[in-house]
Amino acid sequence: MSVLTTRLAVRFNCFTIFNLSTGSVRPLLTNKMADMTAKSTRPSSDMTAFRKEFAKAKNIVILTGAGVSAESGVPTFRGAGGYWRKWQAQTLATPEAFAENPSLVWEFYHYRREVMASKYPNKAHEAIAECEKRLKPQNRNVTVITQNIDGLHKRAGSDSIIELHGNLFKTRCEKCKDVAVNNDSPICEALRDKGEPDPSAVDAKIPVEKLPRCKTAGCGGLLRPHVVWFGEALDRQVLERAGEELDKCDLCLVVGTSSVVYPACMFAPNVASRGVTVAEFNMEDTLVTNEFMYHFKGPAGEHLPAALAKCDTEK
């Protein structure tokens, strides 16, 4: 086992295997997740006590998931109602789907990009961004590690962001592999007014040559969304950076995530296992709730502004 494999296995609490040949992460001992719920001790919901921990922390990591974006009205495409037309996201968000029908996949992502024009950062995003800016002059660091691809943390003003699953507003060329920020609306003329989510909508069947193309001189290759699809590996450099921040954090917040998607679901339990305070902010309990010191039930937009507000001890 290589050093990188060993480091990642330790970081994921040995519940996952990192495959160097493919760069993929898969569950190793998934039954341990269920065992976590056996603990009888409930985490505290004492905000005053949490605030004392927050006041002392020097390196804060905030893990965020779809629940934070949902409070801004961003579709999550999860659960029974998680359909775009007649398709579930898991069906379209794969390299195989893109290879078979790039037009349909681009319609889906074009729709998601256009929806974001009417969505804005909520109080949770804003509280995180304000906290980062306020603490930076005090030599205290706040890093966001997010599973979300909507860019709302950046729009709220956060600077230290690790995007595990990529970004809706970045593209990657299938030919030259160039990654670029792309905020064009529409992303190409052929997709204008396309992507209607209604199940009765007719697929546009756009010719591949009219789909988004690479703007790098002499390339012109087909672009794809720069997001991690089902069956694809997370970027190893991104994972390494996340691991470094988690290794040095002395306070961890888990916000709006169901804690079931690997490898992110093991980040906070691994941090908690070495005695670091972890606080979960979620609408409901998760499989790992009882691993943490604190759990605050309810919308993140209600709890985070209070949790991250300026302390009396701050300069």
Side-chain angles (χ1 to χ4, degrees), residues 86-109:
K86 61 181 179 180
W87 309 95
Q88 285 189 309
Q90 295 92 322
T91 303
L92 296 175
T94 69
E96 293 80 13
F98 189 70
E100 180 180 342
N101 195 339
S103 173
L104 183 66
V105 173
W106 259 122
E107 276 201 85
F108 173 57
Y109 280 95

Side-chain angles (χ1 to χ4, degrees), residues 62 64 128 132 142-146 153 158 160-163:
I62 303 178
T64 67
I128 293 169
E132 178 189 349
V142 176
T143 300
V144 175
I145 301 177
T146 186
H153 282 297
S158 291
S160 183
I161 309 167
I162 300 173
E163 295 174 319

Side-chain angles (χ1 to χ4, degrees), residues 16-143:
T16 60
I17 292 175
F18 184 78
N19 188 321
L20 277 177
S21 62
T22 64
S24 62
V25 182
R26 66 177 177 83
L28 175 59
L29 297 174
T30 55
N31 60 307
K32 298 248 179 146
M33 295 288 289
D35 292 344
M36 291 176 181
T37 61
K39 288 192 173 184
S40 58
T41 304
R42 285 288 302 169
S44 170
S45 58
D46 185 337
M47 182 63 76
T48 300
F50 169 80
R51 293 278 293 162
K52 291 178 180 178
E53 302 269 359
F54 170 69
K56 298 182 294 183
K58 300 293 186 183
N59 292 291
I60 302 167
V61 167
I62 303 178
L63 304 168
T64 67
V68 177
S69 294
E71 290 183 34
S72 289
V74 178
T76 62
F77 296 102
R78 294 185 179 182
Y83 282 81
W84 175 81
R85 295 183 184 170
K86 61 181 179 180
W87 309 95
Q88 285 189 309
Q90 295 92 322
T91 303
L92 296 175
T94 69
E96 293 80 13
F98 189 70
E100 180 180 342
N101 195 339
S103 173
L104 183 66
V105 173
W106 259 122
E107 276 201 85
F108 173 57
Y109 280 95
H110 170 67
Y111 166 73
R112 297 182 70 175
R113 286 165 57 97
E114 295 298 301
V115 161
M116 291 310 302
S118 63
K119 309 301 178 187
Y120 300 93
N122 59 55
K123 291 181 180 180
H125 296 107
E126 292 167 354
I128 293 169
E130 191 279 331
C131 180
E132 178 189 349
K133 284 181 168 53
R134 191 183 75 244
L135 297 188
K136 189 173 183 179
Q138 304 174 36
N139 293 316
R140 299 171 65 194
N141 303 310
V142 176
T143 300

Side-chain angles (χ1 to χ4, degrees), residues 283-306:
M283 294 296 293
E284 56 193 9
D285 285 6
T286 68
L287 285 172
V288 292
T289 293
N290 288 349
E291 291 292 292
F292 305 145
M293 188 171 293
Y294 297 96
H295 174 81
F296 299 98
K297 188 174 184 178
E302 292 183 8
H303 288 302
L304 278 188

